[in-house]
Amino acid sequence: MDGDIRMEFNFKHKINGQDLIIAIAQDYKSLQVLMVAYMNKEALIKTLKTKKVHYWSTSRNSLWLKGESSNNFQYLKEILVDCDMDSVLLKVKQVGGACHMGYNSCFFRRIDTGKIAEKSYNLDDMSDEDLNIILDKVFNPDDAY
Amino acid sequence: MDGDIRMEFNFKHKINGQDLIIAIAQDYKSLQVLMVAYMNKEALIKTLKTKKVHYWSTSRNSLWLKGESSNNFQYLKEILVDCDMDSVLLKVKQVGGACHMGYNSCFFRRIDTGKIAEKSYNLDDMSDEDLNIILDKVFNPDDAY
């Protein structure tokens, strides 16, 4: 590690021929972390231009305007970059909910570390008792997708 | 997208032969996002076992106990998983600061979207005027690394 401060984006994450940065979305008021995804350069520029968050969908291999099918758009309020400039933190106003399962955040489950400990950390053998749902649904995904 | 809820970790991010999930560290009290990195299965299990956060360093290609050289450990308070179980959100107590540049968070710079707009979003031509440092250093990196 050195003291140099990086000034250019480093799209270092390579998936299916795309050069990507990691993008974390955080509610700009509550500071709840909503989701994490990737952006290519086009998604980042479109996000900056339109103030609507765009990602690169690595499953569909296409540009992804968040909310394009659900109308659950993310409006950019602030954008921070990390020291390595290979990830960004998006402070957003989230319409509806961020998660396609109907929750405000994709991080709606907490691992019960006590129960996991009893199982000797066998992560291959997790049940819904090990994963507590800690959020309420804010919309019905059947209506949105 | 479908309504199925995933119960097993999906180490789907492939870098240098490693199967990885994304791990975001967030201060458990202030909710400040501190950093983002990757974990392989070993790092995740060691984190759960020891309650000290371990990552997989993709630059060094080795297991990375956060704080091993700086003593700036991250103590795990809570761990959330996302819908796809390919990323985790770590609520941590951060000793010292998370960033090797001396800041509490690696996200210590904000993009001035107004200035970027004037430059027609030429991301290749950013200067330190486009990136405002918004945090104060909390430790001297020369002393820690």
Side-chain angles (χ1 to χ4, degrees), chain A residues 85-108:
Chain A
M85 288 195 74
D86 57 9
S87 58
V88 290
L89 176 62
L90 312 161
K91 306 266 188 121
V92 302
K93 181 177 177 179
Q94 174 69 59
V95 179
C99 182
H100 75 287
M101 306 284 294
Y103 299 93
N104 202 47
S105 165
C106 293
F107 297 96
F108 60 85

mmCIF file of all heavy atoms in Angstrom, chain A residues 85-108:
data_model
loop_
_atom_site.group_PDB
_atom_site.id
_atom_site.type_symbol
_atom_site.label_atom_id
_atom_site.label_comp_id
_atom_site.label_asym_id
_atom_site.label_seq_id
_atom_site.Cartn_x
_atom_site.Cartn_y
_atom_site.Cartn_z
ATOM 1 N N MET A 85 -10.795 3.927 -6.128
ATOM 2 C CA MET A 85 -11.682 4.315 -7.235
ATOM 3 C C MET A 85 -12.146 3.115 -8.060
ATOM 4 O O MET A 85 -12.296 3.203 -9.278
ATOM 5 C CB MET A 85 -11.059 5.424 -8.107
ATOM 6 C CG MET A 85 -11.066 6.753 -7.350
ATOM 7 S SD MET A 85 -10.764 8.243 -8.326
ATOM 8 C CE MET A 85 -12.294 8.455 -9.224
ATOM 9 N N ASP A 86 -12.371 2.001 -7.363
ATOM 10 C CA ASP A 86 -12.976 0.852 -8.030
ATOM 11 C C ASP A 86 -14.352 0.533 -7.449
ATOM 12 O O ASP A 86 -14.937 -0.517 -7.747
ATOM 13 C CB ASP A 86 -12.061 -0.379 -7.969
ATOM 14 C CG ASP A 86 -11.708 -0.767 -6.548
ATOM 15 O OD1 ASP A 86 -12.293 -0.215 -5.600
ATOM 16 O OD2 ASP A 86 -10.820 -1.624 -6.377
ATOM 17 N N SER A 87 -14.861 1.437 -6.626
ATOM 18 C CA SER A 87 -16.230 1.293 -6.118
ATOM 19 C C SER A 87 -16.785 2.654 -5.754
ATOM 20 O O SER A 87 -16.034 3.591 -5.446
ATOM 21 C CB SER A 87 -16.282 0.336 -4.927
ATOM 22 O OG SER A 87 -15.456 0.765 -3.894
ATOM 23 N N VAL A 88 -18.103 2.761 -5.823
ATOM 24 C CA VAL A 88 -18.785 4.006 -5.473
ATOM 25 C C VAL A 88 -19.876 3.712 -4.463
ATOM 26 O O VAL A 88 -20.418 2.601 -4.400
ATOM 27 C CB VAL A 88 -19.419 4.704 -6.707
ATOM 28 C CG1 VAL A 88 -18.353 5.271 -7.624
ATOM 29 C CG2 VAL A 88 -20.367 3.796 -7.456
ATOM 30 N N LEU A 89 -20.158 4.739 -3.661
ATOM 31 C CA LEU A 89 -21.265 4.681 -2.711
ATOM 32 C C LEU A 89 -22.289 5.710 -3.169
ATOM 33 O O LEU A 89 -21.988 6.906 -3.237
ATOM 34 C CB LEU A 89 -20.765 5.000 -1.301
ATOM 35 C CG LEU A 89 -21.809 5.072 -0.201
ATOM 36 C CD1 LEU A 89 -22.526 3.734 -0.016
ATOM 37 C CD2 LEU A 89 -21.166 5.500 1.128
ATOM 38 N N LEU A 90 -23.472 5.216 -3.514
ATOM 39 C CA LEU A 90 -24.539 6.073 -4.017
ATOM 40 C C LEU A 90 -25.501 6.379 -2.882
ATOM 41 O O LEU A 90 -26.103 5.467 -2.320
ATOM 42 C CB LEU A 90 -25.312 5.353 -5.127
ATOM 43 C CG LEU A 90 -24.478 4.682 -6.216
ATOM 44 C CD1 LEU A 90 -25.293 3.640 -6.957
ATOM 45 C CD2 LEU A 90 -23.917 5.728 -7.165
ATOM 46 N N LYS A 91 -25.638 7.653 -2.546
ATOM 47 C CA LYS A 91 -26.684 8.043 -1.590
ATOM 48 C C LYS A 91 -27.908 8.363 -2.427
ATOM 49 O O LYS A 91 -27.861 9.269 -3.278
ATOM 50 C CB LYS A 91 -26.239 9.266 -0.795
ATOM 51 C CG LYS A 91 -24.888 9.077 -0.099
ATOM 52 C CD LYS A 91 -25.052 8.590 1.320
ATOM 53 C CE LYS A 91 -23.720 8.595 2.044
ATOM 54 N NZ LYS A 91 -23.694 9.417 3.229
ATOM 55 N N VAL A 92 -28.985 7.623 -2.202
ATOM 56 C CA VAL A 92 -30.136 7.715 -3.103
ATOM 57 C C VAL A 92 -31.438 7.914 -2.338
ATOM 58 O O VAL A 92 -31.551 7.582 -1.154
ATOM 59 C CB VAL A 92 -30.277 6.429 -3.960
ATOM 60 C CG1 VAL A 92 -29.003 6.172 -4.768
ATOM 61 C CG2 VAL A 92 -30.640 5.222 -3.115
ATOM 62 N N LYS A 93 -32.398 8.453 -3.078
ATOM 63 C CA LYS A 93 -33.785 8.412 -2.627
ATOM 64 C C LYS A 93 -34.439 7.230 -3.343
ATOM 65 O O LYS A 93 -34.533 7.218 -4.574
ATOM 66 C CB LYS A 93 -34.502 9.719 -2.977
ATOM 67 C CG LYS A 93 -35.937 9.735 -2.505
ATOM 68 C CD LYS A 93 -36.595 11.070 -2.789
ATOM 69 C CE LYS A 93 -38.061 11.019 -2.373
ATOM 70 N NZ LYS A 93 -38.727 12.310 -2.623
ATOM 71 N N GLN A 94 -34.841 6.240 -2.569
ATOM 72 C CA GLN A 94 -35.388 5.007 -3.142
ATOM 73 C C GLN A 94 -36.907 5.114 -3.240
ATOM 74 O O GLN A 94 -37.595 5.307 -2.244
ATOM 75 C CB GLN A 94 -35.003 3.815 -2.252
ATOM 76 C CG GLN A 94 -35.614 2.483 -2.650
ATOM 77 C CD GLN A 94 -35.046 1.974 -3.961
ATOM 78 O OE1 GLN A 94 -33.838 1.776 -4.078
ATOM 79 N NE2 GLN A 94 -35.905 1.773 -4.952
ATOM 80 N N VAL A 95 -37.424 4.953 -4.461
ATOM 81 C CA VAL A 95 -38.876 4.862 -4.645
ATOM 82 C C VAL A 95 -39.291 3.422 -4.371
ATOM 83 O O VAL A 95 -38.582 2.487 -4.770
ATOM 84 C CB VAL A 95 -39.271 5.268 -6.081
ATOM 85 C CG1 VAL A 95 -40.770 5.148 -6.283
ATOM 86 C CG2 VAL A 95 -38.793 6.671 -6.382
ATOM 87 N N GLY A 96 -40.423 3.228 -3.709
ATOM 88 C CA GLY A 96 -40.906 1.870 -3.431
ATOM 89 C C GLY A 96 -39.917 1.141 -2.547
ATOM 90 O O GLY A 96 -39.637 1.571 -1.433
ATOM 91 N N GLY A 97 -39.326 0.081 -3.036
ATOM 92 C CA GLY A 97 -38.282 -0.637 -2.310
ATOM 93 C C GLY A 97 -37.215 -1.074 -3.294
ATOM 94 O O GLY A 97 -37.483 -1.224 -4.485
ATOM 95 N N ALA A 98 -35.998 -1.292 -2.783
ATOM 96 C CA ALA A 98 -34.888 -1.642 -3.670
ATOM 97 C C ALA A 98 -34.919 -3.104 -4.092
ATOM 98 O O ALA A 98 -34.440 -3.456 -5.167
ATOM 99 C CB ALA A 98 -33.556 -1.332 -2.985
ATOM 100 N N CYS A 99 -35.467 -3.959 -3.243
ATOM 101 C CA CYS A 99 -35.319 -5.406 -3.470
ATOM 102 C C CYS A 99 -36.482 -5.959 -4.277
ATOM 103 O O CYS A 99 -37.645 -5.664 -3.989
ATOM 104 C CB CYS A 99 -35.218 -6.129 -2.126
ATOM 105 S SG CYS A 99 -34.977 -7.911 -2.323
ATOM 106 N N HIS A 100 -36.158 -6.823 -5.246
ATOM 107 C CA HIS A 100 -37.196 -7.417 -6.092
ATOM 108 C C HIS A 100 -38.088 -8.380 -5.311
ATOM 109 O O HIS A 100 -39.103 -8.826 -5.822
ATOM 110 C CB HIS A 100 -36.563 -8.130 -7.291
ATOM 111 C CG HIS A 100 -35.914 -9.436 -6.959
ATOM 112 N ND1 HIS A 100 -34.725 -9.527 -6.282
ATOM 113 C CD2 HIS A 100 -36.298 -10.713 -7.201
ATOM 114 C CE1 HIS A 100 -34.409 -10.803 -6.131
ATOM 115 N NE2 HIS A 100 -35.338 -11.545 -6.673
ATOM 116 N N MET A 101 -37.685 -8.688 -4.058
ATOM 117 C CA MET A 101 -38.518 -9.549 -3.221
ATOM 118 C C MET A 101 -39.569 -8.738 -2.457
ATOM 119 O O MET A 101 -40.358 -9.306 -1.688
ATOM 120 C CB MET A 101 -37.654 -10.304 -2.200
ATOM 121 C CG MET A 101 -36.493 -11.092 -2.768
ATOM 122 S SD MET A 101 -36.988 -12.638 -3.571
ATOM 123 C CE MET A 101 -37.613 -13.577 -2.177
ATOM 124 N N GLY A 102 -39.563 -7.425 -2.596
ATOM 125 C CA GLY A 102 -40.584 -6.603 -1.957
ATOM 126 C C GLY A 102 -40.114 -5.847 -0.732
ATOM 127 O O GLY A 102 -40.913 -5.164 -0.085
ATOM 128 N N TYR A 103 -38.829 -5.965 -0.422
ATOM 129 C CA TYR A 103 -38.301 -5.291 0.768
ATOM 130 C C TYR A 103 -37.615 -3.978 0.373
ATOM 131 O O TYR A 103 -37.174 -3.819 -0.767
ATOM 132 C CB TYR A 103 -37.305 -6.196 1.496
ATOM 133 C CG TYR A 103 -37.922 -7.485 1.989
ATOM 134 C CD1 TYR A 103 -37.884 -8.643 1.213
ATOM 135 C CD2 TYR A 103 -38.558 -7.548 3.221
ATOM 136 C CE1 TYR A 103 -38.463 -9.827 1.654
ATOM 137 C CE2 TYR A 103 -39.143 -8.721 3.670
ATOM 138 C CZ TYR A 103 -39.089 -9.852 2.882
ATOM 139 O OH TYR A 103 -39.672 -11.009 3.324
ATOM 140 N N ASN A 104 -37.507 -3.099 1.360
ATOM 141 C CA ASN A 104 -36.829 -1.837 1.091
ATOM 142 C C ASN A 104 -35.360 -2.063 0.743
ATOM 143 O O ASN A 104 -34.811 -1.393 -0.119
ATOM 144 C CB ASN A 104 -36.943 -0.918 2.317
ATOM 145 C CG ASN A 104 -36.768 0.535 1.951
ATOM 146 O OD1 ASN A 104 -37.368 1.000 0.990
ATOM 147 N ND2 ASN A 104 -35.929 1.241 2.688
ATOM 148 N N SER A 105 -34.753 -3.031 1.431
ATOM 149 C CA SER A 105 -33.351 -3.360 1.208
ATOM 150 C C SER A 105 -33.228 -4.830 0.836
ATOM 151 O O SER A 105 -33.957 -5.678 1.348
ATOM 152 C CB SER A 105 -32.548 -3.087 2.486
ATOM 153 O OG SER A 105 -31.279 -3.714 2.425
ATOM 154 N N CYS A 106 -32.254 -5.129 -0.033
ATOM 155 C CA CYS A 106 -31.963 -6.536 -0.334
ATOM 156 C C CYS A 106 -31.398 -7.252 0.891
ATOM 157 O O CYS A 106 -31.454 -8.479 0.974
ATOM 158 C CB CYS A 106 -30.962 -6.624 -1.478
ATOM 159 S SG CYS A 106 -31.629 -6.045 -3.058
ATOM 160 N N PHE A 107 -30.863 -6.489 1.833
ATOM 161 C CA PHE A 107 -30.288 -7.095 3.040
ATOM 162 C C PHE A 107 -31.374 -7.202 4.107
ATOM 163 O O PHE A 107 -31.359 -6.469 5.103
ATOM 164 C CB PHE A 107 -29.094 -6.274 3.527
ATOM 165 C CG PHE A 107 -27.958 -6.239 2.545
ATOM 166 C CD1 PHE A 107 -27.824 -5.192 1.655
ATOM 167 C CD2 PHE A 107 -27.036 -7.277 2.493
ATOM 168 C CE1 PHE A 107 -26.786 -5.166 0.729
ATOM 169 C CE2 PHE A 107 -25.991 -7.260 1.575
ATOM 170 C CZ PHE A 107 -25.869 -6.198 0.680
ATOM 171 N N PHE A 108 -32.328 -8.093 3.870
ATOM 172 C CA PHE A 108 -33.475 -8.202 4.775
ATOM 173 C C PHE A 108 -33.356 -9.404 5.699
ATOM 174 O O PHE A 108 -34.259 -9.655 6.490
ATOM 175 C CB PHE A 108 -34.789 -8.238 3.986
ATOM 176 C CG PHE A 108 -34.924 -9.379 3.008
ATOM 177 C CD1 PHE A 108 -35.382 -10.623 3.434
ATOM 178 C CD2 PHE A 108 -34.581 -9.210 1.680
ATOM 179 C CE1 PHE A 108 -35.505 -11.675 2.536
ATOM 180 C CE2 PHE A 108 -34.703 -10.260 0.775
ATOM 181 C CZ PHE A 108 -35.164 -11.496 1.203
#
